[in-house]
Amino acid sequence: MSQEQYETFKLGDWELQSGEKIEDAHIAYKTFGDPKSPAIVYPTWFSGGISRYDPIFSPTLLILPPALSDNFWLIGDDKLLNPNNFFIIVPALFGNGQSSSPSNQPSPGPFPKVSFYDNVRAQYELVTKHLGIKHLRAVLGWSMGGAQAFQWATQYPDFMDLVVPFCTAAKTSLHNQVFLEGVKSSLIAVKKSRSAGSGEIGLNRETAEAHAWTAEEKDVGLGALGRVYAGWGFSQAFYRHKLYETVLGFKGLEDFMVNFWEKWACSKDPENLLVLLQTWQSGDVSQQDPYNGDFEKAMASIKAKALVLPSKTDLYFPPEDSEYEVACMKPGIGTLDVFPSIWGHWAGGPGDSAQDVEWLDNKLSQFFAENEGGSVNSLAGKLQNTL
């Protein structure tokens, strides 16, 4: 990927919740629209990057592997996220290979433990100090991007009018952590290493060789990770109805496993994925002041109007978890709606299901229209922007 496709903002030595720091850190980002328009932050997800939408898989369909996908599929003149109406900021997670990551640090070594809190604090610096924005119209995102939207809403509750997390959670559930343990363990097994537990990486880092991956280790380890993930990204009904053939254009299950899932996984850097997995497993909006582990208190702190959109068939972010999140919000803050989809987690992105894209865009349009300039945060933002 060429540097011209995104910009970077230098953060200096970035202190982390863990007590560690990323030396000479930077955050990658891309913007769309006029900086004078209402601003929206739309963060990246697990393994997602800032890149063009290039069809590289199916010869007949414009299918993009999740490894190379980006947020751009939900941005356009025909969408709610219209650059003619909004200033859209897409920041990249630490560990995605574009923001500070193991793959771009100057010397090999263990990457520090990072959290969603650390990522969102960096994004806040980008938005306020570099881009000069005093208030956001909204923060929204899919999967790990949605977890960052929840983090924004609890970390800076007065800074935005609206928040729309879809196919995600404000706290990584125990079941989700277990799923990710399987994904992580399949990768590091090739290094003859075991997981040290949820939220940890577990690789032996005593030798320089521990940081280097041979071509064979990458091929075997990442291929295994892709096959483990294949059972989670899409629902049972997706496979039962063979949508990988009828919609995505693959010739059969093995073709899908090799040329979608393995190809996705093998295009990534294993150390980067380990950082993202550690960040995801540790997700919990209550792990910050002033909540100190009180999840219900954290959710009750949200002031922005929230539209929470789980998928009916998501295997790791089920609607039941979202129902609890909305129930913890103050009256009138949260609204729950459910993707009526059999695409599982993929209902929320990255744009492969045209029907789900249309459903999501319609929900966003309706939500933004219903909350046009009516919240306390919106009025406060307008006042700030005039000062």
Side-chain angles (χ1 to χ4, degrees):
M1 178 181 301
S2 65
Q3 174 67 26
E4 290 74 21
Q5 290 181 285
Y6 61 89
E7 299 178 76
T8 58
F9 173 55
K10 293 287 188 179
L11 296 163
D13 292 344
W14 197 243
E15 301 291 337
L16 305 170
Q17 273 191 316
S18 62
E20 302 175 81
K21 66 181 177 182
I22 304 174
E23 295 184 359
D24 193 23
H26 70 272
I27 183 171
Y29 70 98
K30 187 173 181 64
T31 63
F32 301 82
D34 187 339
K36 296 179 182 178
S37 298
I40 294 176
V41 168
Y42 182 18
T44 63
W45 56 76
F46 178 71
S47 88
I50 302 171
S51 60
R52 295 191 313 270
Y53 197 97
D54 291 329
I56 69 169
F57 273 163
S58 170
T60 58
L61 299 173
L62 298 183
I63 302 305
L64 188 72
L68 301 179
S69 60
D70 48 47
N71 289 12
F72 304 173
W73 58 272
L74 200 56
I75 300 171
D77 293 350
D78 60 338
K79 302 288 195 305
L80 180 279
L81 297 184
N82 185 341
N84 295 315
N85 300 329
F86 297 105
F87 182 53
I88 303 161
I89 307 156
V90 179
L93 278 161
F94 291 133
N96 91 315
Q98 296 165 331
S99 291
S100 289
S101 307
S103 64
N104 60 36
Q105 64 179 346
S107 59
F111 198 78
K113 185 182 292 187
V114 298
S115 65
F116 285 124
Y117 178 93
D118 300 321
N119 277 280
V120 168
R121 190 169 71 87
Q123 292 167 24
Y124 182 80
E125 290 281 305
L126 166 71
V127 167
T128 57
K129 293 187 177 180
H130 185 57
L131 299 176
I133 295 169
K134 299 178 181 178
H135 191 78
L136 294 173
R137 177 61 177 143
V139 183
L140 55 89
W142 172 53
S143 197
M144 282 184 80
Q148 291 167 84
F150 273 125
Q151 187 69 45
W152 265 97
T154 53
Q155 196 167 332
Y156 303 103
D158 295 307
F159 201 72
M160 75 291 297
D161 304 329
L162 308 174
V163 59
V164 188
F166 43 101
C167 298
T168 190
K171 179 179 180 178
T172 305
S173 70
L174 295 175
H175 180 262
N176 196 167
Q177 292 180 49
V178 170
F179 142 55
L180 295 174
E181 277 298 289
V183 172
K184 176 175 62 178
S185 296
S186 69
L187 174 60
I188 64 176
V190 75
K191 300 286 283 183
K192 297 182 173 59
S193 186
R194 299 187 181 194
S195 170
S198 183
E200 305 290 340
I201 291 177
L203 280 176
N204 182 340
R205 302 295 189 178
E206 294 179 358
T207 64
E209 289 74 18
H211 301 286
W213 291 69
T214 67
E216 183 180 15
E217 286 173 337
K218 287 183 179 181
D219 183 58
V220 174
L222 290 168
L225 179 147
R227 284 186 176 252
V228 171
Y229 214 111
W232 290 96
F234 296 102
S235 73
Q236 295 96 333
F238 172 92
Y239 284 102
R240 184 167 59 249
H241 290 281
K242 296 186 178 180
L243 297 188
Y244 54 87
E245 293 180 0
T246 59
V247 179
L248 298 185
F250 291 93
K251 297 176 182 178
L253 184 60
E254 187 62 16
D255 185 32
F256 184 51
M257 295 291 281
V258 172
N259 290 308
F260 187 89
W261 285 109
E262 287 190 11
K263 197 165 187 176
W264 158 66
C266 290
S267 72
K268 308 310 292 183
D269 180 274
E271 294 288 337
N272 290 351
L273 291 183
L274 288 171
V275 169
L276 292 169
L277 286 166
Q278 176 265 307
T279 302
W280 185 351
Q281 285 189 311
S282 303
D284 182 351
V285 295
S286 71
Q287 295 303 314
Q288 57 177 313
D289 291 332
Y291 317 120
N292 302 313
D294 188 333
F295 182 75
E296 294 185 357
K297 181 179 180 182
M299 297 306 291
S301 75
I302 295 175
K303 297 180 180 180
K305 292 292 183 70
L307 177 62
V308 181
L309 301 173
S311 167
K312 178 180 68 174
T313 54
D314 197 323
L315 297 179
Y316 42 101
F317 294 123
E320 292 84 357
D321 291 349
S322 298
E323 290 172 5
Y324 175 60
E325 291 166 347
V326 172
C328 290
M329 297 178 191
K330 291 180 180 177
I333 292 295
T335 301
L336 178 75
D337 210 337
V338 181
F339 279 88
S341 173
I342 67 170
W343 280 70
H345 186 59
W346 246 244
D352 291 336
S353 170
Q355 197 171 25
D356 290 324
V357 172
E358 182 180 5
W359 186 89
L360 174 58
D361 190 60
N362 286 339
K363 292 296 177 181
L364 290 173
S365 297
Q366 181 181 353
F367 182 61
F368 273 61
E370 290 174 348
N371 294 280
E372 181 60 44
S375 71
V376 172
N377 279 1
S378 178
L379 296 173
K382 288 178 179 178
L383 179 60
Q384 283 181 315
N385 290 332
T386 60
L387 296 179

